[in-house]
């Protein structure tokens, strides 16, 4: 062991990194607290610069500590900032205004003092989430965990059967959503969505496709075909609604593909950037077309051309994603003035989502766990920042610190499973990965059911299928799966 890698030096470096992050964050928070709200335009500009500076501080310290940005933890942190400050970046730095941003520049929709409070809390919340993630970065080594050894053939078989069993549910839900979305607006998808258990089972197909892609990684051509087909399906389903969910799936597939069979070089990065810009333009066109009552291919083509020639596609998508801040604003506006603090109730009641939907009493509890429904404002999603305030007020910062620690831990576990080829552990964690990555603009109540149901589904399928090849090994795998899980 070299001198620089001794436990003492690693400990000193960790302390130095954390102290450096705390100092930089404290300076930025002091600057943020010094901002005046008298001129709303100047406030948006200044808070935009400070939030981007906080992003830069977080990126530098994560890289300094040996962490990865393209990971659950890194993406969770970046998306939290994007969702809560994106619209302000567009207004304050580029004077960009879109029809989805009326709240930010219309006095009749907002109270500037509540807005300042919400922006301040979101800023502090991002800083403490970053602290929790940074604390966990490279903190624990899972190499001593015994890997669940299964062959590529067994993995492919498991992935195929998971996909075959669950994809019909996925297809039914997506076709139903597409039908209602085309008949009306995209909000009709949510009004007429299929039963929750159908969607939950359908999501297992994502894990099945991912396992098939990993199993074929030695045959690069087959893996790339599975990857491209999965990405194509995600883009098609963006016509339905829930585009953010499908983007999360794209991130997941790309993250795993980059680990196993795709190596990005300079030319490929340029190609990906150009393709991303085209995709963003495509997404903006979908958003505007869905709001148009006269939807047709000609309308879509016209709006797509307009997006390319007259509008900024990047600012368009950033402004829409950045509207999550509105949910945080509503939390400060309604709690505790109209709605009492939940004191952790939304998190505890969120576990009831593990059960199937049973009657009105269940629905009442679920509505209380999905805190946004209590605000009775249509067309908005959740917010990890807003939910913390909804439960504990300003003390919600401590909850956000715990969330940062949890996300950092799961991120470490998932990346280590990828590195060790612990395929069953990857399968167990996929539902948790996707729902946690969506959590910045959702509620905790959306996490327990996919994780628990997904865990049981993978456990049952692996036990049933692998037992046919080696009964003793199957029992050992299941026991190890329990020990390796959370």
């Amino acid at each position: 062991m070299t001198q620089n890698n001794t436990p003492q030096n690693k400990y000193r470096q960790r302390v130095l990194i954390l102290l450096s992050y705390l100092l930089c964050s404290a300076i930025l928070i002091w600057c943020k607290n010094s901002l005046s709200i008298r001129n709303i335009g100047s406030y948006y500009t200044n808070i935009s610069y400070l939030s981007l500076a906080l992003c830069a501080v977080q990126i530098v310290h994560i890289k300094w500590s040996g962490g990865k940005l393209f990971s659950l933890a890194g993406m969770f942190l970046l998306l939290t900032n994007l969702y809560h400050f994106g619209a302000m970046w567009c207004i304050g730095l580029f004077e960009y205004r879109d029809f989805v941003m009326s709240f930010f520049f219309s006095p009749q929709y907002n109270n500037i003092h509540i807005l300042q409070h919400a922006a301040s809390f979101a800023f502090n919340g991002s800083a403490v989430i970053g602290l929790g993630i940074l604390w966990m970065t490279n903190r624990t080594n899972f190499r001593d965990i015994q890997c669940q050894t299964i062959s590529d053939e067994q993995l492919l078989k498991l992935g195929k059967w998971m996909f075959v069993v669950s994809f019909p549910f996925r297809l039914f839900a997506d076709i139903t959503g597409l039908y209602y979305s085309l008949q009306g607006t995209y909000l009709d998808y949510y009004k007429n969505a299929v039963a929750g258990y159908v969607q939950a089972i359908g999501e297992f197909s994502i894990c099945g496709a991912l396992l098939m892609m990993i199993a074929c990684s030695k045959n690069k051509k087959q893996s790339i075909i599975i990857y491209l087909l999965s990405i194509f399906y995600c883009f098609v389903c963006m016509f339905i609604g829930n585009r953010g969910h499908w983007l999360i799936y794209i991130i997941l597939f790309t993250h795993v593909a980059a680990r196993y069979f795709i190596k990005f070089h300079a030319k490929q990065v340029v190609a990906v950037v150009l393709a991303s810009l085209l995709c963003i333009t495509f997404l903006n066109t979908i958003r505007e077309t869905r709001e148009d009552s006269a939807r047709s291919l000609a309308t879509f083509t016209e709006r797509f051309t307009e997006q390319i020639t007259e509008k900024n596609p990047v600012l368009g998508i950033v402004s829409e994603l950045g509207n999550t801040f509105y949910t945080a604003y509503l939390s400060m506006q309604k709690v505790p003035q109209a709605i009492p603090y939940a004191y952790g109730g939304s998190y505890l009641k969120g576990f009831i989502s593990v059960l199937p939907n049973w009657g009105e009493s269940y629905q009442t509890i679920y509505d209380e766990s999905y805190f946004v429904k209590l605000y009775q404002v249509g067309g908005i999603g959740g917010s990890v920042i807003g939910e913390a305030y909804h439960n504990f007020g300003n003390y919600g910062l401590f909850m956000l610190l715990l969330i940062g620690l949890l996300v950092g831990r799961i991120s470490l576990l998932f990346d280590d499973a990828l590195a060790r080829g612990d395929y069953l552990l990857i399968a167990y964690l996929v539902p948790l990965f996707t729902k946690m990555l969506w959590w910045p603009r959702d509620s905790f109540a959306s996490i327990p059911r996919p994780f628990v149901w997904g865990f049981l589904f993978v456990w049952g399928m692996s036990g049933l299928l692998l037992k046919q090849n080696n009964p003793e090994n199957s029992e050992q795998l299941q026991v190890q799966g329990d020990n390796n899980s959370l």
Side-chain angles (χ1 to χ4, degrees):
M1 179 181 295
T2 63
Q3 184 177 359
N4 292 332
N5 290 329
T6 61
Q8 294 82 359
N9 285 338
K10 287 184 177 181
Y11 176 78
R12 292 193 190 100
Q13 183 182 28
R14 181 179 296 279
V15 171
L16 178 62
I17 292 172
L18 290 174
L19 289 177
S20 173
Y21 179 80
L22 287 172
L23 177 61
C24 293
S25 299
I27 292 174
L28 291 175
I29 290 174
W30 179 82
C31 293
K32 177 262 302 177
N33 291 339
S34 302
L35 297 180
S36 172
I37 197 67
R38 294 178 181 177
N39 186 318
I40 190 66
S42 298
Y43 181 80
Y44 283 144
T45 300
N46 293 329
I47 196 69
S48 296
Y49 281 125
L50 289 176
S51 61
L52 286 173
L54 179 61
C55 286
V57 167
Q58 291 169 339
I59 291 172
V60 168
H61 283 80
I62 288 177
K63 297 297 292 183
W64 184 9
S65 64
K68 300 177 181 178
L69 289 179
F70 198 39
S71 63
L72 170 60
M75 295 302 298
F76 182 93
L77 192 55
L78 293 178
L79 288 175
T80 298
N81 287 310
L82 172 62
Y83 291 152
H84 292 86
F85 292 102
M88 294 187 191
W89 297 342
C90 293
I91 299 171
L93 303 181
F94 302 98
E95 298 183 354
Y96 179 88
R97 296 187 176 188
D98 200 351
F99 72 95
V100 298
M101 301 165 59
S102 57
F103 157 78
F104 289 93
F105 51 82
S106 178
Q108 63 178 330
Y109 290 120
N110 67 67
N111 179 301
I112 58 174
H113 298 292
I114 297 178
L115 187 147
Q116 184 182 31
H117 182 200
S120 178
F121 186 81
F123 191 96
N124 297 343
S126 174
V128 297
I129 289 174
L131 178 62
I133 288 175
L134 194 62
W135 180 271
M136 292 304 303
T137 301
N138 283 345
R139 182 175 180 81
T140 305
N141 193 329
F142 301 96
R143 301 289 176 178
D144 56 339
I145 296 179
Q146 185 177 359
C147 180
Q148 305 179 49
T149 304
I150 61 176
S151 66
D152 291 341
E153 290 76 14
Q154 290 175 313
L155 181 64
L156 181 60
K157 183 179 181 180
L158 176 61
K160 282 182 177 179
W161 276 103
M162 288 182 63
F163 186 82
V164 168
V165 171
S166 59
F167 186 67
F169 293 86
R170 174 82 271 167
L171 192 61
F172 173 75
D174 293 337
I175 291 177
T176 303
L178 181 61
Y179 171 78
Y180 285 111
S181 183
L182 292 176
Q183 292 296 314
T185 66
Y186 81 99
L187 291 177
D188 290 312
Y189 163 74
Y190 299 99
K191 296 177 183 177
N192 301 279
V194 298
Y197 75 89
V198 174
Q199 299 186 47
I201 296 175
E203 289 190 11
F204 303 155
S205 61
I206 301 297
C207 184
L210 193 72
L211 295 183
M212 287 191 291
M213 187 179 74
I214 296 174
C216 297
S217 58
K218 293 180 181 178
N219 188 329
K220 188 175 181 180
K221 183 178 180 180
Q222 290 184 3
S223 288
I224 290 178
I225 290 175
I226 296 174
Y227 171 74
L228 293 178
L229 287 175
S230 302
I231 300 302
F232 175 76
Y233 187 85
C234 290
F235 273 110
V236 171
C237 289
M238 286 180 182
F239 280 102
I240 301 173
N242 258 352
R243 291 182 298 150
H245 279 102
W246 295 106
L247 284 174
I248 296 302
Y249 295 144
I250 291 174
I251 291 174
L252 171 64
F253 276 97
T254 304
H255 177 49
V256 175
R259 173 62 184 83
Y260 281 104
F261 58 88
I262 295 180
K263 304 299 180 183
F264 291 101
H265 303 292
K267 292 182 179 179
Q268 292 173 314
V269 171
V270 172
V272 169
V273 170
L274 294 176
S276 299
L277 290 176
L278 184 63
C279 291
I280 289 173
T281 304
F282 182 76
L283 295 179
N284 289 338
T285 307
I286 292 175
R287 183 193 67 185
E288 294 191 1
T289 303
R290 289 185 315 180
E291 298 297 329
D292 197 327
S293 58
R295 286 187 293 269
S296 65
L297 180 60
T299 302
F300 181 85
T301 304
E302 179 183 350
R303 291 189 179 277
F304 186 77
T305 304
E306 181 182 340
Q307 283 283 339
I308 294 177
T309 58
E310 300 180 15
K311 296 185 178 181
N312 189 317
V314 176
L315 293 181
I317 195 68
V318 169
S319 68
E320 183 184 7
L321 295 175
N323 271 313
T324 300
F325 175 79
Y326 183 46
T327 302
Y329 170 90
L330 288 174
S331 295
M332 322 255 158
Q333 181 188 59
K334 295 181 178 294
V335 179
Q337 292 83 351
I339 300 172
Y341 292 118
Y343 297 108
S346 76
Y347 298 111
L348 295 175
K349 292 176 181 178
F351 287 101
I352 200 168
S353 67
V354 172
L355 303 175
N357 299 8
W358 285 338
E360 296 182 1
S361 58
Y362 170 91
Q363 192 61 44
T364 300
I365 297 176
Y366 181 75
D367 288 346
E368 292 176 357
S369 69
Y370 196 71
F371 70 103
V372 176
K373 291 189 175 183
L374 299 177
Y375 299 163
Q376 298 182 345
V377 177
I380 63 172
S383 161
V384 68
I385 301 289
E387 185 172 22
Y389 188 88
H390 176 90
N391 280 272
F392 303 109
N394 290 324
Y395 294 104
L397 293 176
F398 293 101
M399 186 67 202
L400 292 173
L401 177 62
L402 294 178
I403 290 173
L405 292 169
L406 176 63
V407 171
R409 176 75 177 188
I410 300 301
S411 181
L412 277 177
L413 193 60
F414 187 82
D415 287 344
D416 193 77
L418 288 176
R420 293 186 293 112
D422 197 340
Y423 302 129
L424 287 184
L425 182 56
I426 293 171
Y428 289 135
L429 292 177
V430 163
L432 198 58
F433 183 103
T434 55
K435 292 306 177 183
M436 276 194 156
L437 204 52
W438 185 239
W439 195 4
R441 64 179 312 183
D442 201 357
S443 169
F444 173 78
S446 298
I447 297 178
R449 174 184 285 184
F451 174 59
V452 174
W453 286 27
F455 184 94
L456 294 175
F457 187 78
V458 172
W459 181 80
M461 291 290 290
S462 62
L464 179 64
L465 295 174
L466 301 182
K467 183 178 181 180
Q468 298 175 4
N469 296 327
N470 189 341
E472 294 182 0
N473 187 51
S474 176
E475 295 177 5
Q476 184 180 8
L477 287 175
Q478 292 184 31
V479 172
Q480 291 176 1
D482 294 337
N483 292 335
N484 289 357
S485 66
L486 301 178

